[in-house]
């Protein structure tokens, strides 16, 4: 028996065969959306105290190393002993507050998704 | 043709992936209990620090040269290794995973116009996607591919043996004791007779070689001559015995601590058993003091199980029974070892049973669930109550371990904004 609902919110039981009994479907997983390429995807934790940033402190960032940065990409860069977020704009890297990043930083990976608690 | 892919200073390179400031700086990785150096970056090798040296013996060099030490982080290394294997499997399914940091590929099914350009692309892809520097050797046999990798490490990271001139050059540069399969006993004998490098070895007459080598030795010579005779394939054979042992961080006398260690090792051994789809019917427990103690006690006991099993609960109960018989409170112990023997395929064993008990199926489902949880959330998420993890003196020291960046949600690398 499958369960359904009508517009007024009443739950009813329809005597309809459950299609899933014949064909097995996998449950949905966030990996299907967020992990494009498992071997090159890494998860990072965001540490921020900037309230203007749309992403909150503690968010999980999905980072894919196989991608190339394009205009507007947000990337993880290694700068001195720290990893910081940067935006790729006009073929150059800028901090999120707009200040320019020194030229010798290296891009660690490209952020593809941000998972945050609401 | 075969390709051999070998990660450069694998453990040290894994650590540098999340500590890029250590690029070009000396890095070493320590064994369990932080006792010995088991992996070295190129800079540490250049300082003359040898493999396996106890770290206290080189403490002054470590300080003076500012070597960064890490406790082994096997979860991280295993994860990085798996990623590399996944990429290689996309290149070709004809892969033989040789060890955590080495694989062979059979290139026969691939359409490659230029081998060294192909190798450069694979090398660059692994560096970019996983951050791992690798060396690649290519040759007409597995042994020549491996030899080519050794050569590549000193010559730009890629080497292709595709003609006799380059084969001669590579083999002439390979000391005879470094040839795959030549032991420390054979090498001096060969040197005495004027055979100092691999080229001289393969140029020697067969009749003479046969006096010094058995069949597998001759096979190795044939491989170096360019005739393929080693089998290729994923040789992840099922293990015939499974052993889990660890020297304790401190000497342990209290029975409840030995109990907790034993149960924990039994759990790990049984998980290994299940991961290869086997059951076992013999269990051994081995208990020993330090060999340097005044009074040494080193004892073991084995028992045959009434029925083959891969059930953690049963194995724990069995090992604890053996431990109880071995334990003498007059001693402080250094090491416990659990061994599972008489291992057979679970399916073959089930087929041999006429009436599979319902209870067994349920236990099996429970065990599969425990394994799945531990796989998802990290080893040790679900455990039997007797494996008391708290205040456990016996746990290995790993004071310098880096975060498990890729296998534990609580230890992700952080990025600032």
């Amino acid at each position: 028996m499958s369960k359904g609902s009508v517009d007024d919110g009443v739950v009813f039981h329809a005597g309809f065969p459950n299609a899933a009994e014949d064909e097995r479907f996998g449950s949905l997983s966030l990996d299907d959306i967020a992990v494009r390429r498992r071997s090159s995807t890494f998860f990072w934790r965001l540490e921020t105290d900037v309230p203007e940033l749309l992403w909150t402190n503690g968010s999980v960032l999905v980072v894919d190393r196989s991608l190339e940065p394009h205009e507007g990409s947000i990337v993880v860069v290694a700068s001195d002993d720290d990893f910081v977020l940067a935006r790729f704009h006009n073929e150059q890297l800028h901090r999120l507050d707009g200040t320019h990043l020194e030229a010798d930083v290296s891009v660690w990976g490209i952020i593809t998704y941000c998972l945050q608690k609401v | 043709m075969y390709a051999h892919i070998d990660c450069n200073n694998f453990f040290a390179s894994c650590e540098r992936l999340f500590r890029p400031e250590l690029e070009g700086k000396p890095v070493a990785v320590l064994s369990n209990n932080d006792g010995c150096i088991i992996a070295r970056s190129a800079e540490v090798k250049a300082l003359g620090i040898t493999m396996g040296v106890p770290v206290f013996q080189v403490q002054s060099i470590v300080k003076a040269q500012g070597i960064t030490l890490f406790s082994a982080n096997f979860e991280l290394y295993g994860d990085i290794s798996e990623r590399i294997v996944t990429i290689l499997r996309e290149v070709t399914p004809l892969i033989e995973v040789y060890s955590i940091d080495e694989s062979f590929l059979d290139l026969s099914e691939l359409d490659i116009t230029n081998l060294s350009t192909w190798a450069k692309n694979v090398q660059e892809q692994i560096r970019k996607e996983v951050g791992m520097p690798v060396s690649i050797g290519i040759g007409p046999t597995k042994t020549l591919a491996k030899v080519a990798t050794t050569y590549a490490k000193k010559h730009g990271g890629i080497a292709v043996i595709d003609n006799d001139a380059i084969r001669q050059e590579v083999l002439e540069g390979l000391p005879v004791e470094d040839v795959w399969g030549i032991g420390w006993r054979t090498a001096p004998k060969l040197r005495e007779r004027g055979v100092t490098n691999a080229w001289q070895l393969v140029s020697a007459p067969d009749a003479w070689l046969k006096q010094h080598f058995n069949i597998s030795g001759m096979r190795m010579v044939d491989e170096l001559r360019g005739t393929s005779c080693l089998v290729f394939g994923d040789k992840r054979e099922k293990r015939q015995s499974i052993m889990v042992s660890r020297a304790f961080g401190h000497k342990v006398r209290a029975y409840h601590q030995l109990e907790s260690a034993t149960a924990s090792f039994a759990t790990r051994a049984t998980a290994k058993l299940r991961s290869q789809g086997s059951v076992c019917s013999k269990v051994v427990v081995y208990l020993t003091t330090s060999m340097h103690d005044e009074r040494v006690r080193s004892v073991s006991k084995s028992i045959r199980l009434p029925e083959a099993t891969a059930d953690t609960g049963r194995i724990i109960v069995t090992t604890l029974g053996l431990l109880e018989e071995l334990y003498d409170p007059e001693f402080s112990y250094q090491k416990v070892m659990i061994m599972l023997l008489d291992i057979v395929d679970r399916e073959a064993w089930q087929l041999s049973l006429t009436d599979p008990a319902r209870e067994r199926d349920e236990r099996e489902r429970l065990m599969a669930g425990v394994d799945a949880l531990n796989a998802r959330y990290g080893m040790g998420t679900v455990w039997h109550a007797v494996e008391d993890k708290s205040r456990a003196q016996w746990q290995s020291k790993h004071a310098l371990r880096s975060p498990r960046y890729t296998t534990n949600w609580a230890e992700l690398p952080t990025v600032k904004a």
Side-chain angles (χ1 to χ4, degrees):
Chain A
M1 288 257 260
S2 61
K3 239 182 194 179
S5 70
V6 288
D7 285 338
D8 62 2
V10 178
V11 176
F12 65 95
H13 294 271
F16 211 74
N18 184 350
E21 281 169 7
D22 298 327
E23 266 180 85
R24 300 291 304 168
F25 298 102
S27 313
L28 295 179
S29 161
L30 281 175
D31 281 8
D32 304 337
I33 296 174
V35 181
R36 197 188 60 92
R37 190 169 163 74
R38 180 159 290 282
S39 53
S40 59
T41 298
F42 295 82
F43 301 117
W44 285 67
R45 184 79 63 187
L46 177 64
E47 201 178 289
T48 179
D49 51 9
V50 184
E52 301 83 57
L53 188 69
L54 288 174
W55 300 347
T56 51
N57 187 43
S59 295
V60 171
L61 304 176
V62 181
V63 177
D64 190 341
R65 285 181 60 96
S66 69
L67 303 175
E68 294 298 334
H70 54 83
E71 178 62 28
S73 290
I74 300 185
V75 302
V76 174
V77 300
S79 164
D80 299 326
D81 287 3
D82 265 339
F83 288 102
V84 295
L85 286 190
R87 190 188 300 275
F88 194 71
H89 175 57
N90 288 338
E91 304 294 312
Q92 281 182 323
L93 292 167
H94 305 269
R95 285 184 190 278
L96 295 191
D97 63 12
T99 57
H100 192 66
L101 263 175
E102 53 279 28
D104 64 337
V105 296
S106 62
V107 173
W108 197 94
I110 314 294
I111 294 171
T112 53
Y113 285 90
C114 169
L115 186 68
Q116 60 182 5
K117 202 168 175 355
V118 292
Chain B
M1 295 291 261
Y2 295 94
H4 175 244
I5 291 97
D6 190 5
C7 300
N8 300 343
N9 313 306
F10 179 63
F11 292 0
S13 298
C14 287
E15 298 292 351
R16 280 176 174 156
L17 177 57
F18 294 98
R19 296 281 303 275
E21 79 278 10
L22 296 176
E23 208 57 59
K25 306 220 167 79
V27 171
V29 177
L30 307 177
S31 60
N32 285 318
N33 287 328
D34 294 347
C36 301
I37 290 181
I38 55 163
R40 305 158 296 157
S41 70
E43 299 75 16
V44 173
K45 290 176 187 170
L47 290 169
I49 291 181
T50 50
M51 188 71 170
V53 68
V55 71
F56 71 85
Q57 280 180 20
V58 291
Q59 203 56 257
S60 58
I61 309 179
V62 168
K63 280 224 170 67
Q65 300 290 335
I67 299 177
T68 306
L69 297 177
F70 288 98
S71 309
N73 185 347
F74 287 113
E75 288 194 25
L76 173 65
Y77 310 153
D79 179 71
I80 298 295
S81 173
E82 252 175 59
R83 290 165 186 263
I84 293 167
V85 170
T86 304
I87 291 173
L88 293 175
R89 241 180 248 289
E90 287 169 2
V91 173
T92 173
L94 300 180
I95 181 174
E96 177 182 323
V97 179
Y98 186 70
S99 69
I100 193 165
D101 58 351
E102 282 175 75
S103 290
F104 289 99
L105 301 182
D106 178 344
L107 307 182
S108 58
E109 308 258 297
L110 297 178
D111 189 16
I112 302 170
T113 44
N114 183 319
L115 286 167
S116 76
T117 308
W118 173 86
K120 233 179 213 75
N121 288 339
V122 172
Q123 185 185 50
E124 171 55 22
Q125 191 188 355
I126 295 172
R127 193 208 55 76
K128 177 167 172 48
E129 297 191 1
V130 191
M132 179 59 58
V134 302
S135 301
I136 300 181
I138 295 177
T141 68
K142 273 168 62 180
T143 310
L144 281 173
K146 196 170 161 75
V147 164
T149 305
T150 312
Y151 182 87
K153 296 218 174 198
K154 296 189 194 106
H155 298 86
I158 287 169
V160 180
I161 299 181
D162 55 358
N163 62 59
D164 282 341
I166 177 81
R167 186 168 66 93
Q168 178 171 354
E169 185 191 328
V170 170
L171 292 183
E172 277 176 348
L174 184 70
V176 73
E177 56 270 16
D178 291 352
V179 175
W180 208 13
I182 291 202
W184 54 273
R185 242 178 297 201
T186 321
K189 285 188 208 158
L190 294 170
R191 280 193 170 270
E192 262 171 40
R193 289 163 177 79
V195 175
T196 61
N197 66 47
W199 179 250
Q200 290 166 331
L201 184 74
V202 300
S203 307
D206 276 4
W208 182 83
L209 287 169
K210 278 180 182 151
Q211 293 168 15
H212 299 279
F213 291 119
N214 57 15
I215 290 175
S216 68
M218 288 308 292
R219 232 184 259 157
M220 180 270 302
V221 171
D222 281 341
E223 282 253 324
L224 289 175
R225 285 172 173 165
T227 308
S228 194
C229 31
L230 292 178
V231 290
F232 183 89
D234 228 338
K235 52 145 189 57
R236 262 179 296 172
E237 279 166 21
K238 293 191 176 178
R239 275 178 283 197
Q240 297 300 301
S241 68
I242 288 172
M243 189 188 87
V244 175
S245 84
R246 195 66 31 96
F248 300 138
H250 312 269
K251 286 183 189 171
V252 174
R253 167 172 271 169
Y255 184 71
H256 72 274
Q257 287 190 337
L258 291 172
E259 207 173 31
S260 144
T262 304
S264 176
F265 296 171
T267 304
R268 226 179 307 161
T270 319
K272 280 189 196 176
L273 185 68
R274 283 197 298 274
S275 75
Q276 66 169 32
S278 306
V279 290
C280 77
S281 52
K282 193 172 176 186
V283 177
V284 185
V285 175
Y286 169 87
L287 182 66
T288 183
T289 60
S290 165
M291 288 301 157
H292 307 297
D293 282 358
E294 251 172 60
R295 293 163 62 237
V296 173
R297 179 173 165 83
S298 179
V299 285
S300 71
K301 207 164 175 64
S302 68
I303 195 165
R304 176 160 300 282
L305 301 166
E307 168 184 73
T309 185
D311 181 308
T312 303
R314 290 214 181 107
I315 301 285
I316 287 179
V317 168
T318 310
T319 54
L320 292 183
L322 294 171
L323 176 73
E324 200 175 349
E325 290 178 50
L326 294 173
Y327 180 71
D328 179 335
E330 295 302 306
F331 295 84
S332 292
Y333 298 90
Q334 180 80 56
K335 190 176 183 176
V336 168
M337 178 171 91
I338 305 297
M339 229 153 96
L340 305 181
L341 295 171
D342 290 3
I343 291 172
V344 294
D345 209 43
R346 188 175 60 88
E347 276 169 25
W349 166 74
Q350 273 178 333
L351 285 175
S352 72
L353 300 169
T354 46
D355 179 23
R358 189 185 161 73
E359 188 217 8
R360 188 161 47 230
D361 285 349
E362 270 167 18
R363 294 286 315 196
E364 264 175 24
R365 281 219 310 281
L366 171 67
M367 288 300 127
V370 167
D371 288 345
L373 285 169
N374 283 337
R376 181 171 308 176
Y377 299 109
M379 213 40 186
T381 300
V382 180
W383 64 84
H384 287 252
V386 69
E387 314 167 54
D388 177 13
K389 303 264 167 147
S390 57
R391 295 185 309 148
Q393 253 184 48
W394 54 269
Q395 286 217 9
S396 290
K397 282 186 245 170
H398 42 66
L400 303 169
R401 192 183 68 198
S402 54
R404 290 166 293 182
Y405 300 106
T406 60
T407 57
N408 193 309
W409 286 112
E411 299 177 20
L412 295 184
T414 56
V415 55
K416 294 190 177 118

